[in-house]
Amino acid sequence: MDSIGPVGLQQGEGTPGCPQDSLLYPSDSSELVQDCLQQFKVTEPQLQQIQTSLLGSMEQALGGQTSPAPAVRMLPTYVGSIPHGTEEGDFVVLELGATGASLRVLWVTLTGTEGHSMQPQSQEFVIPQEVMLGPGQQLFDFAACCLSKFLDTLPVGNQGLQLGFSFSFPCHQTGLDRSTLISWTKGFRCSGVEGQDVVQLLRDAIQRQGAYNIDVVAVVNDTVGTMMGCEPGLGPCEVGLVVDTGTNACYMEEARHVAVLDEDRGRVCVSIEWGSFGGDEALGPVLTTFDRTLDLESLNPGAQRFEKMIGGLYLGELVRLVLAYLTQHGVLFGGCTSPALLSQGSIPLKHVAEMEDPSDGATRVHTILQDLGLSVGALDVKIVQHVCMAVCTRAARLCAAALAAVLFRLQHSREQQMLQIAVATGGQVFEQHPRFLSVLQETVMLLVPECDVSFIPSVDGGGRGVAMVTAVAARLAAHRRLLEETLADFRLNREQLAVIQAQMRKAMDKGLRGEASSLRMLPTYVRATPNGSERGDFLALDLGGTNFRVLLVRVATGVVRITSQVYSIPEYVAQGSGQQGILLNWTKGFSASDCEGQDVVCLLREAIRRRQAVELNVVAIVNDTVGTMMSCGYEDPHCEVGLIVGEEGPALFTSMPDVNSLSPVDSSGTGTNACYMEELRNVVGVAGDSGHMCINMEWGAFGDDGSLGVLSTCFDASVDQASINPSKQRFEKMISGMYLGEIVRHILLHLTSLGVLFRGQQTQRLQTRDIFKTKFLSEIESDSLALRQVRAILEDLGLPLTSDDALMVLEVCQAVSQRAAKLCGAGVAAVVEKIRENRGLEELTVSVGVDGTLYKLHPHRRTDLAKVQLWSLLLPAVLPRWPTSEESSGICWTRAWNPLVSSQPSHPRLPG
């Protein structure tokens, strides 16, 4: 037989990144020894194949594939948050299955201060074999009895206790405190438990015991406990890896990827349950004859194949099988076996690690094997050490391949070129076999070089982590209550919206009659909507913001062609003399003199004459709300309402009987506005009793008379007082994008002061006004945005946060924007209901033309505004539609001019 290569690794030796290429076999070893050791060698291509195969199985399980069943389960644990160091309180932990045939009870005190932790008190109880294999009720009664014995030693009294239950077996969880056992492992075979909720079984046993008031808050496995038990201050730890009697891993997955959850936000800890990974296709090339023998002699033949190659319960047994085989073939111990060597379980993991120890291993080999009744020679010692090294090295490399699959998934799902992550490690293999971690690290580096991984040992064998899960659950529940209390006033119900609708209607009627009202109800002298027959060429001038647009609009049959040019407005023009020839909007940073109170159409005409370049006739001036309605009306004959929901609105103008004469009035800008076609007979101050008149409501000022006070929150009051026009434009300040961000910011400040957000740490950035723009609100609520991207947006604003913080900020944004949409919807409801009543119709079909940055950018504004439920509650007789103005209003209102302009060029009766 050809010489067989090395199977072991001494740290720092051999080919970098290849743990198996450093230790030479004894030169006098037989071919049979080399053949046995060669079976445990796993090549890099084989490791890569295992990594790829496991990754595929993970994705199948996450996607909900059931046929064929994936090789791993990917069970959601309903742990949605990692600790952030502020958790505090006393917690009881019960561990079952984490340490084999024993049960442990712990009392854990969390101080809520990073770097200050108290040593848990604990007691371990050995589980008798007859309990491990007997009825399930007997096992849980035993656990409850041990729990009471431990608590009897502490000054607990009658206080209520919160308990975290570490149950380290494959389970199907349907909640943080609901978990059904799938199958027993690790030597347990209690009847009547598989398929049952183990939390309820424990609760029933505690109740039968009747000694203490204990609430089972959470059930987790040891892997999750390991991940959650990382010491605070070491950075986020989002992977847990346990190699104990068995092996498993967990990690924080995006909830939207877990099909069984049907969630699209947040993260959830997923227990991979990779001990069951295997099958001939995946593991066949690396299975040895000894693995097959071990499997056949186990309690669960054919199951947990991967675990049986890695777990501490099996490594000693694999070593024993190899040594017995070599002895029976005359290679070891002079061919003389012993009853102990032939007895299952006679070599535990601890002895394997001790015999492999390069410093004192030879001595331990003599002692341990002599205790097994064997006669040990010098060559026997070397062979035994190489067998131990081969078995454990393979285990570490296989574990590394599986971990590499997890890290690869995290790196790619989070789209990071270099993933920096901490992995919490726990279990007796890590504790008793120090070389295992070094082999694991080097192999991980070989397989996923794009991942910078820190390995952090667990504290208290994961018991602290189980307490941390319980504490995090308690913290999140408390924070949830505070968040709900804070946002309660933003969640408007049917009755509140009906009141707003009625108040808006009353204010409309008063404004139309010329009485004192918070709604101006200004006639625009636009008397008809387009009918689709308009034709001709028109010039439009659009002034707003820091730009000025000139548009040439050509309306032909079935076609509207637009040519435009945008000009930036210099600051000296915007803030200079009004005689510069530009119609200025004072609500967007303009302060040009000599315009207020003047006929701005005349100013524009005079400016055109001064240029002496072209002869133009100024036909009409309208605001963007009217333009939006007319634009949509050209496409939809049912469009009789215009709605603007933006960041800043147009200047307010009062219309005179001559449409060509408009004078600006004092305004702070609306940000939101509506117009609609009113019956002319209802408009006081305008001659005529027949026909229609477009009314510019200027509804941003609705509620300035105090009628909105009952809906105003303390956050609205803060934003109002800090504005340039306190106590004015109250409706606008609850709807417009230029104010929503400030409302959000004040809520975040409040929640931070309560310790709900950002660990209670106020940041200077959060104190800065206007950091949350409409673009931010729109992006953070996008359905397509992963939580990591939401976090990135917030971090770009200088707000260091956790995933929980990102979820709460998201909920705050949703509550604020949904209230705005509902208020806006209630206002539109008042408008369209008035149109229906004006016309004496039992049912009205109407379209609302909508424009504005907030409406266009916000992902849910259209659906929130037009929800069937809202309309069925407020407007059972109205069927609304919501076309969007595809062009800005500055373009669109020119489309309806042609027929009347051409026939009456000097004093047209304008529909737009």
Side-chain angles (χ1 to χ4, degrees):
M1 177 180 286
D2 295 336
S3 177
I4 298 174
V7 298
L9 174 71
Q10 298 294 339
Q11 190 171 358
E13 298 180 357
T15 305
C18 185
Q20 289 186 291
D21 294 339
S22 62
L23 188 63
L24 297 177
Y25 294 122
S27 57
D28 54 350
S29 63
S30 70
E31 289 186 359
L32 188 59
V33 171
Q34 295 182 44
D35 180 62
C36 288
L37 297 178
Q38 178 68 13
Q39 292 186 55
F40 288 92
K41 180 177 180 181
V42 185
T43 65
E44 183 178 337
Q46 289 173 328
L47 293 172
Q48 291 170 338
Q49 178 58 41
I50 291 171
Q51 175 187 344
T52 301
S53 181
L54 178 59
L55 182 62
S57 294
M58 290 169 60
E59 292 173 348
Q60 289 171 357
L62 286 172
Q65 176 178 311
T66 58
S67 182
V72 293
R73 293 188 175 93
M74 302 300 288
L75 303 175
T77 68
Y78 294 85
V79 173
S81 176
I82 60 176
H84 60 40
T86 63
E87 292 77 14
E88 57 184 343
D90 295 321
F91 303 92
V92 181
V93 174
L94 174 65
E95 291 184 345
L96 179 60
T99 54
S102 64
L103 176 150
R104 191 165 70 131
V105 186
L106 300 92
W107 179 275
V108 181
T109 299
L110 303 176
T111 63
T113 304
E114 293 187 8
H116 295 82
S117 59
M118 298 182 64
Q119 187 68 28
Q121 302 178 61
S122 66
Q123 185 174 352
E124 191 164 339
F125 301 86
V126 176
I127 304 175
Q129 184 74 8
E130 61 271 17
V131 174
M132 293 176 63
L133 303 177
Q137 181 172 321
Q138 181 183 14
L139 172 66
F140 284 93
D141 283 341
F142 176 81
C145 179
C146 295
L147 186 60
S148 294
K149 288 181 179 179
F150 172 73
L151 293 175
D152 287 342
T153 65
L154 302 174
V156 174
N158 295 322
Q159 65 173 301
L161 303 174
Q162 293 181 309
L163 181 142
F165 185 21
S166 173
F167 189 74
S168 303
F169 302 92
C171 289
H172 173 61
Q173 278 193 254
T174 55
L176 189 59
D177 62 347
R178 298 187 302 274
S179 186
T180 301
L181 176 65
I182 295 174
S183 61
W184 285 114
T185 57
K186 305 176 184 178
F188 284 78
R189 282 194 304 184
C190 296
S191 60
V193 181
E194 293 180 355
Q196 301 298 312
D197 182 354
V198 296
V199 174
Q200 191 58 49
L201 292 175
L202 178 61
R203 284 172 174 160
D204 292 343
I206 292 173
Q207 188 173 6
R208 285 193 296 271
Q209 191 72 24
Y212 292 95
N213 178 21
I214 301 174
D215 179 21
V216 184
V217 175
V219 57
V220 297
N221 62 28
D222 55 342
T223 315
V224 179
T226 295
M227 182 188 76
M228 296 290 284
C230 274
E231 285 285 0
L234 296 173
C237 179
E238 297 185 283
V239 180
L241 171 60
V242 167
V243 188
D244 199 83
T245 53
T247 180
N248 191 24
C250 66
Y251 71 102
M252 298 302 293
E253 175 64 83
E254 301 292 328
R256 69 181 188 277
H257 294 153
V258 186
V260 70
L261 292 181
D262 195 25
E263 293 281 347
D264 60 0
R265 294 289 183 182
R267 289 177 178 170
V268 64
C269 179
V270 171
S271 178
I272 301 172
E273 300 298 333
W274 71 22
S276 61
F277 174 67
D280 289 338
E281 182 178 351
L283 294 181
V286 295
L287 283 171
T288 68
T289 55
F290 308 105
D291 294 309
R292 301 182 192 279
T293 300
L294 183 148
D295 177 57
L296 289 173
E297 295 176 353
S298 68
L299 291 173
N300 53 350
Q304 303 295 110
R305 301 296 294 274
F306 194 58
E307 180 171 270
K308 290 170 183 174
M309 302 170 77
I310 297 175
L313 182 64
Y314 307 101
L315 296 184
E317 185 62 11
L318 283 172
V319 168
R320 185 191 70 80
L321 289 172
V322 176
L323 298 186
Y325 174 81
L326 292 176
T327 303
Q328 289 169 338
H329 285 76
V331 177
L332 285 177
F333 317 128
C336 298
T337 63
S338 69
L341 181 63
L342 299 178
S343 299
Q344 192 175 32
S346 60
I347 301 180
L349 171 68
K350 179 182 178 181
H351 289 171
V352 174
E354 290 175 352
M355 290 190 292
E356 189 185 333
D357 186 347
S359 60
D360 194 39
T363 301
R364 292 298 297 148
V365 169
H366 275 283
T367 302
I368 292 169
L369 295 182
Q370 285 174 355
D371 289 344
L372 293 178
L374 298 169
S375 177
V376 184
L379 182 57
D380 295 333
V381 170
K382 292 183 180 181
I383 294 175
V384 169
Q385 285 189 305
H386 281 291
V387 169
C388 293
M389 187 173 293
V391 170
C392 294
T393 297
R394 185 192 66 164
R397 286 168 67 80
L398 291 175
C399 188
L403 179 60
V406 177
L407 298 175
F408 181 88
R409 173 165 179 80
L410 287 174
Q411 182 209 358
H412 284 262
S413 65
R414 299 181 184 182
E415 298 179 5
Q416 297 180 2
Q417 289 187 344
M418 175 62 73
L419 176 70
Q420 291 186 315
I421 197 165
V423 175
T425 60
Q428 58 178 310
V429 174
F430 285 109
E431 295 167 2
Q432 299 180 16
H433 198 295
R435 198 176 63 86
F436 189 92
L437 178 59
S438 65
V439 176
L440 176 77
Q441 287 176 306
E442 292 190 38
T443 310
V444 167
M445 190 184 306
L446 173 69
L447 296 175
V448 279
E450 308 85 3
C451 299
D452 181 10
V453 187
S454 302
F455 291 89
I456 304 171
S458 67
V459 179
D460 302 312
R464 182 178 183 275
V466 178
M468 194 65 75
V469 172
T470 311
V472 168
R475 169 174 61 80
L476 291 179
H479 287 180
R480 168 55 53 184
R481 287 192 295 271
L482 291 172
L483 180 66
E484 289 298 327
E485 291 171 5
T486 301
L487 298 181
D489 290 339
F490 288 88
R491 308 194 193 282
L492 304 183
N493 57 35
R494 171 185 177 177
E495 290 73 20
Q496 291 171 309
L497 294 173
V499 169
I500 293 298
Q501 179 188 359
Q503 291 176 337
M504 178 76 77
R505 176 62 184 276
K506 183 178 179 180
M508 291 170 64
D509 292 339
K510 293 175 67 175
L512 288 171
R513 293 194 299 265
E515 301 174 9
S517 172
S518 60
L519 295 181
R520 292 180 172 88
M521 305 301 288
L522 305 174
T524 66
Y525 295 86
V526 173
R527 300 173 184 267
T529 56
N531 61 15
S533 65
E534 295 78 12
R535 304 288 183 271
D537 296 340
F538 306 94
L539 191 65
L541 308 181
D542 182 18
L543 176 62
T546 58
N547 294 324
F548 179 79
R549 291 196 303 163
V550 181
L551 307 101
L552 178 62
V553 183
R554 176 162 295 172
V555 184
T557 303
V559 178
V560 178
R561 292 188 176 90
I562 301 173
T563 304
S564 64
Q565 182 70 45
V566 179
Y567 301 90
S568 296
I569 302 173
E571 184 176 355
Y572 75 90
V573 173
Q575 301 180 1
S577 168
Q579 295 301 317
Q580 294 287 337
I582 303 294
L583 176 62
L584 303 177
N585 186 330
W586 295 268
T587 65
K588 299 180 180 179
F590 289 84
S591 59
S593 62
D594 301 325
C595 290
E596 292 188 2
Q598 301 299 312
D599 184 338
V600 293
V601 172
C602 290
L603 293 177
L604 180 59
R605 284 173 173 160
E606 291 170 4
I608 293 172
R609 284 197 295 269
R610 286 195 297 272
R611 294 293 297 177
Q612 296 181 346
V614 64
E615 182 176 348
L616 296 173
N617 180 25
V618 181
V619 176
I621 181 169
V622 297
N623 65 17
D624 52 354
T625 316
V626 179
T628 295
M629 181 188 74
M630 299 298 285
S631 169
C632 295
Y634 186 78
E635 304 289 344
D636 184 344
H638 293 290
C639 185
E640 298 185 75
V641 182
L643 173 64
I644 292 289
V645 189
E647 291 195 80
E648 298 178 83
L652 303 188
F653 296 97
T654 179
S655 300
M656 312 292 14
D658 179 359
V659 73
N660 296 316
S661 178
L662 297 176
S663 299
V665 296
D666 176 55
S667 169
S668 302
T670 61
T672 180
N673 193 20
C675 67
Y676 73 101
M677 299 304 293
E678 177 62 80
E679 302 298 313
L680 187 58
R681 67 178 182 272
N682 295 332
V683 184
V684 173
V686 179
D689 292 326
S690 63
H692 301 91
M693 172 68 71
C694 179
I695 297 297
N696 175 22
M697 296 177 66
E698 297 300 343
W699 77 2
F702 174 61
D704 286 0
D705 57 1
S707 57
L708 285 177
V710 67
L711 296 184
S712 180
T713 68
C714 60
F715 310 108
D716 295 305
S718 297
V719 171
D720 177 59
Q721 289 303 310
S723 68
I724 61 174
N725 56 346
S727 301
K728 295 183 179 180
Q729 303 296 111
R730 301 300 294 272
F731 194 58
E732 166 198 308
K733 290 171 183 173
M734 302 171 81
I735 294 177
S736 173
M738 69 182 296
Y739 299 105
L740 297 189
E742 272 300 281
I743 296 173
V744 167
R745 187 179 68 85
H746 280 277
I747 295 174
L748 300 188
L749 283 169
H750 172 70
L751 292 174
T752 303
S753 70
L754 296 177
V756 175
L757 287 177
F758 314 130
R759 304 187 187 184
Q761 300 173 1
Q762 297 281 0
T763 65
Q764 186 61 40
R765 185 61 172 160
L766 199 57
Q767 306 286 340
T768 306
R769 288 183 57 183
D770 300 323
I771 61 172
F772 296 138
K773 303 296 184 183
T774 299
K775 181 175 183 290
F776 162 81
L777 294 175
S778 303
E779 287 182 346
I780 201 171
E781 290 192 60
S782 172
D783 287 331
S784 62
L785 208 60
L787 187 62
R788 59 176 176 76
Q789 294 169 295
V790 175
R791 291 186 63 178
I793 292 171
L794 294 168
E795 287 168 352
D796 285 344
L797 291 173
L799 300 174
L801 75 167
T802 65
S803 295
D804 294 324
D805 292 333
L807 283 172
M808 289 193 179
V809 171
L810 170 65
E811 193 163 343
V812 169
C813 291
Q814 288 174 333
V816 171
S817 63
Q818 286 172 5
R819 183 191 68 162
K822 288 183 178 182
L823 287 173
C824 202
V828 174
V831 172
V832 297
E833 180 69 354
K834 187 173 193 316
I835 295 175
R836 186 188 68 83
E837 291 181 3
N838 283 344
R839 299 175 188 177
L841 300 175
E842 291 186 2
E843 185 174 284
L844 171 70
T845 298
V846 66
S847 295
V848 181
V850 191
D851 200 0
T853 53
L854 186 60
Y855 184 83
K856 286 183 174 180
L857 292 176
H858 198 281
H860 302 300
R861 178 53 61 97
R862 185 180 303 187
T863 54
D864 286 343
L865 196 61
K867 279 182 178 176
V868 174
Q869 179 186 14
L870 174 61
W871 286 97
S872 65
L873 293 175
L874 301 181
L875 297 171
V878 177
L879 302 175
R881 296 186 294 188
W882 302 82
T884 303
S885 174
E886 295 182 2
E887 303 290 350
S888 72
S889 55
I891 300 172
C892 297
W893 48 253
T894 65
R895 295 180 177 175
W897 291 357
N898 185 34
L900 299 178
V901 171
S902 59
S903 61
Q904 301 180 25
S906 57
H907 296 284
R909 175 176 171 271
L910 292 176

